Amino acid sequence: MPNLYKPGALAACGLVICCFVVGATLGGCDNKSNEKITTIETSKSAVATEKSLWPSVQSVVEKDPAIEAKITELLGKLSLEQKVGQLIQPELRLVTPADVTEYSLGSILNGGGSFPGENKHAKVEEWIALADAFYNASMSTEAGRVPVPVMWGTDAVHGHNNIIGATLFPHNIGLGATRNPELIRQIGAATAAEIAVTGIDWSFAPTLAVVRDDRWGRTYESYSEDPAVVKSYGGKMVEGLQGIAGTDLLSERHVIATAKHFLADGGTEGGQDRGDAAMSEEELVKIHNAGYETALAAGAQTVMASFSSWQDVKMHGNKYLLTDQLKNQMGFDGLVVGDWNGHAFVSGCTPVSCPQAINAGLDIFMAPEASWKELYHNTLAQVKSGEISLARLDDAVARILRVKLRAGLFEKGAPSTRELAGKREIIGSPEHRAVARQAVRESLVLLKNNSKTLPVKASSKILVAGDGADNIGKQSGGWSITWQGTGNTNADFPGGTSIYQGIADAAKTAGGLVELSVDGNYQTKPDVAFVVFGEDPYAEMQGDVGSLIYKNENNLALLKKLKADGIKVVSLFITGRPLWANNFINASDAFAVVWLPGSEGVGIADVVLAKADGSVNFDVKGKLPFSWPASPAQSPLNVGDKNYKPQFAYDFGLTYSDNIETGLLDETAAQLAAANTPDVAPIFNQRVMNPWTLVLFDHVNNMLPVTTSRGELGAVVVSSEDKQVQEDSRRLQFNGSAKATVSLGSTTRTDFSAYAGSKGALIFDVKVNTKPGAEVELGMYCGSDCVGALPITGQLNAVNVGEWASVSVALECLAKKRVKMDMVLAPFVLSTAGSLDISIYNVRIEKNAKAPACAE
């Protein structure tokens, strides 16, 4: 099967057209039948038996005979309905304590930006009260229920980041720059304590991705491109979160940890979120399994399956990896939890039905939609029918019970009765902020320091400029109070310090003068200007980019203006990934990468300002955890690559003792205007044009590439027909029995921004053979949460049956629907759930085209 893009079904994502995920695919779908997958898995298992590439991992948490006996006892008492309930994990906004009792739910979660009562500023007492309500509901014995405590999981990825006032540590990319595993353990312990204050049991961390293509929007959640760094951190973070075996393992000051996302979420082709890792098994193990070896050895009790695929098989449905390797070969005896509706993207699955995932080794469905009750009932029916065996059900429930018993949830009692419950003084405590401040200091990477510009005497006249200067939300990045990290102000980070405030406080103490001016205008000419700028907050899906270029003309002009005024310029670059920024570096006397430092911006001041006597306060320690690109298109770029030629190599980082003058860097990429593009970009012109492929999708994640004159999948048939010459057009026939999609896409991104900027449109010629029986939509896809479509039903209805006409959609309108025109993967996506019979010809992107105006 060729390496193709694929979307997930409409039902899986609720978007106007199918959600795609790209890797060797665009999508949430597997392009192999279950029968074929079984054959592949069987052959792999046979090979693994002879000589396994996978390690055998000995966890410090050994099986306890008393716990195993209790598991057996509980399995004998729990009804089938209660067992199935343990497999379902609804989201906070869509579940009640009464639901926990009625369905015997095993766990709940709060996603990013989800709070008690939908109140962003909910107090610790409100979190505790809700945790108690869920716990008490789970311990009900009404109607003969067997009480099993519910677990509450949360995404605490850089501190307890859903809680106002919590300590926010640097994101993982910054921690990777510190090369300090012991610091990672301290961060884990501080995070666990703050989580425990709110009565929550379970942290969905650490992320152990080894990111190999920095265009991925979750690059900052990775410690490094180097598996050795990830391996050195994985076990330490688990020890911090869970405690250490033999001392305080899973005590009331600790929480359950989650090694995620298994496996190779950082290895997808093109850095495409939820994409496909098309690598060999040897590379999969050597690079992407590294962090799991130490995390599992340290006793991680849960593993989260990745949205992504390996060799076109979705991880949520990959028995070979989840069961044969993770559970059997590596000896993992904890539970495997799904990611946010991740099961819905497995071939043949929907959000409400996926026995394939449970049979592959998933133990808990993360089911964040209102339809979780339907998933429960379908799963129960599948157990009763034998589609999910009783043995597999009991194994999943046993794993869930084992984790709960090891965590002491049966003995700890209600969350409000536990050691740290409700102790608000622990949230953002001085001790925790001190750890975060140290992490910020050690994460800063200095790329340029001409004429020993840094450190700056704190007694100097200092200007602090840029939109990141006094902006704790920007410096904290995604997963900060809200999922994407947007919509926050400094008031949402009480106790935190912006970069400006840290510099101002230190300078004031030393007798210096500091002026804040976002736009760089000043009252008193400064000796030096710190300009704080860079990426705005983003999280998964929305953070994918088409190239590694940082563009901001206003910030560049600001640097040049200050330089022209004879002021020393220090750039403090906020970013969640390496970015080509040669023009910004050239316009700076010193250039430091501060990554996403979190709430303790004062740690930056500790390093960039000298003591009152001019001596170094803290030296620069950070080293690049990722290679820095020499051009915007230089990705993937990883140390050890053939022809490895970065701008700044992996592990680079100046210190104050270095006497290195950085010359002017090549700015060619920034000076190149948009390439001269033709007026028309053909997508289908008598044939499918390179690099596109015609692919069909059904409503349950199946896909079919059409490489011959005819293809049929679900409710749609595509066949070749003649318009002017032989087989120069395609007939699309939808029977209306289910949602179906026809698309033209690729595994590589294409930049159509020049067309979007020239009043461009997506156009195709069409002959209507039968009028639409339901709404028809036409759109584009560029990745998860980067997809948009518009109705074209009216245009099709306006065409006389049997006659040819043109249908068009303005690129501007699609861009307003969240399509990023510089990173398109599928420029033509046509879907309908109704009957339709049309013939299409000459699909193209055209400049200066006529198209209907965008709807308001």
Side-chain angles (χ1 to χ4, degrees), residues 6 22 89 103-104 110 138 202 227 266 291 295 321 329 392 405 459 540 559 656 700 809 817 846:
K6 322 180 256 201
V22 182
Q89 184 182 89
Y103 292 92
S104 295
N110 68 288
S138 71
W202 184 6
L321 294 182
Q329 174 62 27
R392 173 75 268 266
L405 287 162
S459 57
E540 58 186 302
L559 299 180
Y656 287 147
V700 288
V809 171
K817 292 286 188 178
E846 189 173 317

Side-chain angles (χ1 to χ4, degrees), residues 447-448 580-587 591 628-630 647-648 661-669 671:
L447 298 185
K448 178 180 181 179
W580 187 90
N582 284 7
N583 43 352
F584 292 86
I585 296 173
N586 286 340
F591 191 96
W628 199 272
Q647 188 68 69
F648 298 99
E661 294 292 306
T662 302
L664 289 177
L665 306 179
D666 182 15
E667 294 188 17
T668 304
Q671 296 165 354

